[in-house]
Amino acid sequence: LCLMAAPGKVAAFRLPPLPTIGEIIKLFRLKALKQLSQNFLLDLRLTDKIVKQAGELKNAHVCEVGPGPGGITRSILSAGVEQLLLIEKDARFIPGLQMLSEAAPGKVHIVHGDILTYKMEKAFPKHLKKNWEDEPPNIHIIGNLPFSVSTPLIIKWLENVSKRDGPFIYGRTQMTLTFQKEVGERLTANPGSNQRSRLSVMAQHLCTVENCFVIPGQAFVPKPEVDVAVVHFTPLVQPKIQQPFELVEKVVQSVFQFRRKYCFRGIETLFPENGRLKRTEQLMMTANVDPTLRPFQLSMSQFRNLCNAYRKMCDEDPSLFVFNYREELRQKKMTRSLLESTGQPQETEEENRL
């Protein structure tokens, strides 16, 4: 419904009177499922505040992930969006969302599906596409994510950013998402911070990441054991590390495998046992990285140097990239078990060290 606007002003969208979110929960007998790490946000002042972090949404196209009983959904609609796509995995919430859809005719499209498998390449009209170098398109992703899905989902979307596909086929689509406070701190942690992690490097090399504000746990129903951070992402025009996503992820993951030890210990795991030490030294010298730095102390430019040097080594020896350290350990363990069962000598000192 639209109210009559004053002359010269655009009419503001207003939802008609609706049951409160609390009443919707009672009406449809909705209960947050612990196994799905669901938590409802009932305070519309807080849902308005989350939506405000997304920026100007008037006439925008928005995808909301996991709307649940529809608290954030109401705030998005009240912001005057053109179209709202709702992706909800839990069928129990669909009737309540349909009630909202009927209150905003023609604006809401509900998909009963899983965001991890939903194809977002066709989620929005083609005319919204922008060149990557241009300003972000008038498309936003917003979501109060269940804790169980938040980290795998942001890693998936970061890969989409790197490849410019999925929701980023339209350009540098912005995201405003909730995470456990600790995960939010990791996403925005600077080098030297105890919270610096694989997630920090992967997110910050591809996006501008802003930790907007923290919502206390008691604002949610049921109350989670942790507070919740609202984080805003804008993809960068140029990534900080210009290498394929899989290569960057492999190097960063290896470095942080032993986060309390010197960084060379994790980098060793990039190489097979035969020639491991020599190749690790070669990589660190080429990248000009001090091997006695801890992983969380490495700067983005040092990670870039490591990735570039590792890429060069992989180009010279393609078998390097497919090497899997954990698989090597598993094979060693199987061999050792076989030797033990036949009474053969035990593992070597090198195997012991590994």
Side-chain angles (χ1 to χ4, degrees):
L1 296 176
C2 281
L3 299 176
M4 290 299 291
K9 289 189 177 178
V10 180
F13 179 82
R14 292 282 182 274
L15 283 167
L18 288 165
T20 65
I21 298 298
E23 287 166 348
I24 291 274
I25 288 169
K26 284 179 185 171
L27 180 65
F28 294 105
R29 296 178 181 175
L30 302 174
K31 188 180 178 186
L33 297 180
K34 194 171 182 181
Q35 64 267 35
L36 296 180
S37 61
Q38 291 173 338
N39 303 95
F40 304 150
L41 192 54
L42 309 187
D43 188 337
L44 291 182
R45 289 168 303 177
L46 283 172
T47 59
D48 285 347
K49 193 176 177 185
I50 291 171
V51 170
K52 200 174 177 183
Q53 299 304 319
E56 178 55 60
L57 293 185
K58 192 150 199 64
N59 302 322
H61 287 247
V62 176
C63 170
E64 186 189 356
V65 184
I72 293 177
T73 314
R74 294 183 186 210
S75 295
I76 295 171
L77 286 170
S78 297
V81 298
E82 178 77 20
Q83 288 289 323
L84 175 55
L85 169 65
L86 303 176
I87 301 175
E88 178 54 65
K89 186 179 180 180
D90 192 334
R92 299 173 305 142
F93 296 120
I94 302 297
L97 296 173
Q98 281 171 338
M99 185 185 285
L100 270 178
S101 176
E102 287 159 14
K107 281 189 178 286
V108 181
H109 177 55
I110 302 168
V111 172
H112 177 214
D114 187 343
I115 189 62
L116 285 168
T117 55
Y118 182 72
K119 304 291 184 192
M120 291 196 72
E121 288 85 350
K122 296 177 182 176
F124 304 104
K126 285 181 181 176
H127 73 265
L128 296 171
K129 279 190 180 184
K130 291 273 189 86
N131 292 325
W132 194 260
E133 296 73 24
D134 294 342
E135 286 298 301
N138 202 11
I139 295 172
H140 299 261
I141 297 172
I142 300 175
N144 173 29
L145 305 177
F147 295 154
S148 60
V149 79
S150 60
T151 302
L153 183 56
I154 196 58
I155 289 290
K156 177 181 185 287
W157 275 339
L158 289 170
E159 183 172 2
N160 289 145
V161 170
S162 175
K163 295 175 178 176
R164 301 182 186 182
D165 60 12
F168 307 98
I169 203 165
Y170 303 92
R172 296 184 297 122
T173 301
Q174 297 178 79
M175 303 183 284
T176 307
L177 307 168
T178 62
F179 298 89
Q180 287 184 50
K181 183 185 172 187
E182 187 184 323
V183 177
E185 287 169 350
R186 281 186 208 151
L187 283 162
T188 54
N190 293 318
S193 160
N194 280 334
Q195 294 290 347
R196 186 77 167 171
S197 67
R198 170 183 76 120
L199 210 49
S200 320
V201 180
M202 296 308 295
Q204 292 170 34
H205 110 81
L206 289 162
C207 298
T208 299
V209 191
E210 183 191 355
N211 202 335
C212 304
F213 65 96
V214 173
I215 305 173
Q218 60 257 34
F220 293 85
V221 178
K223 176 181 176 291
E225 293 174 8
V226 293
D227 294 338
V228 172
V230 177
V231 184
H232 184 77
F233 301 81
T234 307
L236 294 164
V237 173
Q238 288 289 350
K240 302 267 179 72
I241 304 169
Q242 299 205 13
Q243 293 294 352
F245 183 87
E246 293 82 0
L247 185 140
V248 178
E249 188 176 41
K250 186 177 183 184
V251 171
V252 174
Q253 216 164 15
S254 297
V255 170
F256 279 102
Q257 195 154 198
F258 305 100
R259 65 172 286 115
R260 297 290 166 205
K261 298 189 176 181
Y262 293 145
C263 65
F264 81 83
R265 183 65 192 90
I267 288 167
E268 280 186 321
T269 66
L270 289 168
F271 304 108
E273 184 183 342
N274 185 19
R276 175 170 286 145
L277 192 59
K278 186 180 176 185
R279 281 173 151 177
T280 302
E281 286 173 354
Q282 180 191 341
L283 176 62
M284 304 216 71
M285 281 179 69
T286 307
N288 192 25
V289 172
D290 180 349
T292 63
L293 287 173
R294 310 283 178 185
F296 60 88
Q297 294 176 307
L298 296 183
S299 67
M300 191 63 80
S301 62
Q302 287 171 318
F303 273 108
R304 181 172 61 240
N305 291 350
L306 286 169
C307 290
N308 290 345
Y310 179 64
R311 170 66 185 269
K312 192 163 178 286
M313 293 172 82
C314 289
D315 286 346
E316 290 166 2
D317 178 3
S319 68
L320 259 191
F321 188 69
V322 294
F323 167 71
N324 186 311
Y325 174 72
R326 290 184 184 278
E327 180 61 24
E328 184 185 74
L329 285 186
R330 196 179 70 82
Q331 292 291 344
K332 279 178 171 293
K333 194 174 180 182
M334 284 172 62
T335 305
R336 193 160 61 244
S337 299
L338 194 64
L339 290 172
E340 284 172 358
S341 66
T342 56
Q344 296 294 314
Q346 298 297 299
E347 67 267 23
T348 64
E349 188 181 336
E350 167 65 11
E351 288 172 324
N352 243 329
R353 189 175 73 80
L354 281 166

